[in-house]
Amino acid sequence: MIEFPSIRYGRPAAPLVLVFVTVLAGCASAPPSLGNLGSLVTPYRIDIIQGNVVTREQAQSLRPGMPRAQVRDILGTPLLASVFHADRWDYVFTFQRQGQAPQQRKLAVFFRGDVLERIEADELPTEAEFVASLDVRRRSGELPALQASEEQLRRFAESNRTSAGTVAPAVPAAPRSYPPLEAPEAER
């Protein structure tokens, strides 16, 4: 017969139990201003991006009479192309980010045969507006300037001059010869 040693709870366990009961009582009597403790810690939710991003510039470049292939080159492959509605392509874009209202935009392209007839679209953002809506760190409405002034170009050229007085290339030259992709037949 196997005997198990008995566990004795003596005085050393009593303070530990007292601390545990006090902590539990403290959680139950938290002030209402603190709110629910579960609301203080929220799980991370990833950004959900679905569909095709279609900007105002892309939609404005579409013209009635364009072939389907050209429309596909400009807008990309449609998200929805139904067998029952072969003359209609639907481009749908949804974007959900924690702490922001969900975005949803739709654009429908209608064809007659193989030629673009018309488009129906929600209000589409410009490319700059769309990129600004993705960057949550930037709080100002100003976009950075993407063009250098003459003074900035002159300072850049001066800082990149070599000792011979010529401007150093920004990208190193590519090698003139490359190793073979496969070993020659004799080495196999």
Side-chain angles (χ1 to χ4, degrees), residues 71-144:
V71 172
R72 185 179 291 122
D73 289 342
I74 294 171
L75 299 179
T77 306
L79 184 66
L80 300 170
S82 172
V83 175
F84 301 108
H85 303 287
D87 290 339
R88 175 182 174 151
W89 288 351
D90 289 298
Y91 293 86
V92 180
F93 173 75
T94 59
F95 180 62
Q96 296 176 350
R97 174 177 277 161
Q98 183 175 358
Q100 292 182 354
Q103 300 178 25
Q104 181 174 11
R105 290 181 212 92
K106 299 175 192 170
L107 178 124
V109 181
F110 296 91
F111 295 95
R112 178 163 294 170
D114 194 35
V115 175
L116 177 64
E117 182 180 19
R118 63 186 168 94
I119 64 170
E120 292 178 4
D122 293 341
E123 181 66 29
L124 299 173
T126 64
E127 187 172 335
E129 292 170 345
F130 176 71
V131 171
S133 74
L134 295 179
D135 189 7
V136 294
R137 293 170 291 177
R138 183 185 303 136
R139 295 296 176 203
S140 68
E142 295 180 21
L143 295 177

Side-chain angles (χ1 to χ4, degrees), residues 2-185:
I2 299 175
E3 282 189 37
F4 293 103
S6 62
I7 299 175
R8 299 182 59 144
Y9 296 104
R11 294 187 191 270
L16 189 61
V17 171
L18 182 62
V19 167
F20 182 70
V21 170
T22 305
V23 168
L24 282 178
C27 289
S29 63
S33 63
L34 193 62
N36 186 0
L37 292 178
S39 66
L40 294 176
V41 179
T42 58
Y44 174 74
R45 292 189 181 109
I46 62 169
D47 297 344
I48 301 172
I49 300 174
Q50 294 178 318
N52 305 61
V53 176
V54 179
T55 62
R56 188 177 307 153
E57 294 88 353
Q58 290 173 305
Q60 288 172 348
S61 66
L62 297 176
R63 300 282 177 251
M66 285 182 158
R68 285 179 190 250
Q70 192 173 3
V71 172
R72 185 179 291 122
D73 289 342
I74 294 171
L75 299 179
T77 306
L79 184 66
L80 300 170
S82 172
V83 175
F84 301 108
H85 303 287
D87 290 339
R88 175 182 174 151
W89 288 351
D90 289 298
Y91 293 86
V92 180
F93 173 75
T94 59
F95 180 62
Q96 296 176 350
R97 174 177 277 161
Q98 183 175 358
Q100 292 182 354
Q103 300 178 25
Q104 181 174 11
R105 290 181 212 92
K106 299 175 192 170
L107 178 124
V109 181
F110 296 91
F111 295 95
R112 178 163 294 170
D114 194 35
V115 175
L116 177 64
E117 182 180 19
R118 63 186 168 94
I119 64 170
E120 292 178 4
D122 293 341
E123 181 66 29
L124 299 173
T126 64
E127 187 172 335
E129 292 170 345
F130 176 71
V131 171
S133 74
L134 295 179
D135 189 7
V136 294
R137 293 170 291 177
R138 183 185 303 136
R139 295 296 176 203
S140 68
E142 295 180 21
L143 295 177
L146 298 178
Q147 187 173 4
S149 67
E150 291 297 325
E151 175 64 23
Q152 291 171 327
L153 292 174
R154 186 185 60 73
R155 281 187 292 175
F156 178 75
E158 287 175 1
S159 66
N160 287 324
R161 292 210 187 279
T162 62
S163 60
T166 60
V167 176
V171 178
R176 299 203 182 261
S177 65
Y178 296 95
L181 295 176
E182 296 180 1
E185 292 292 326

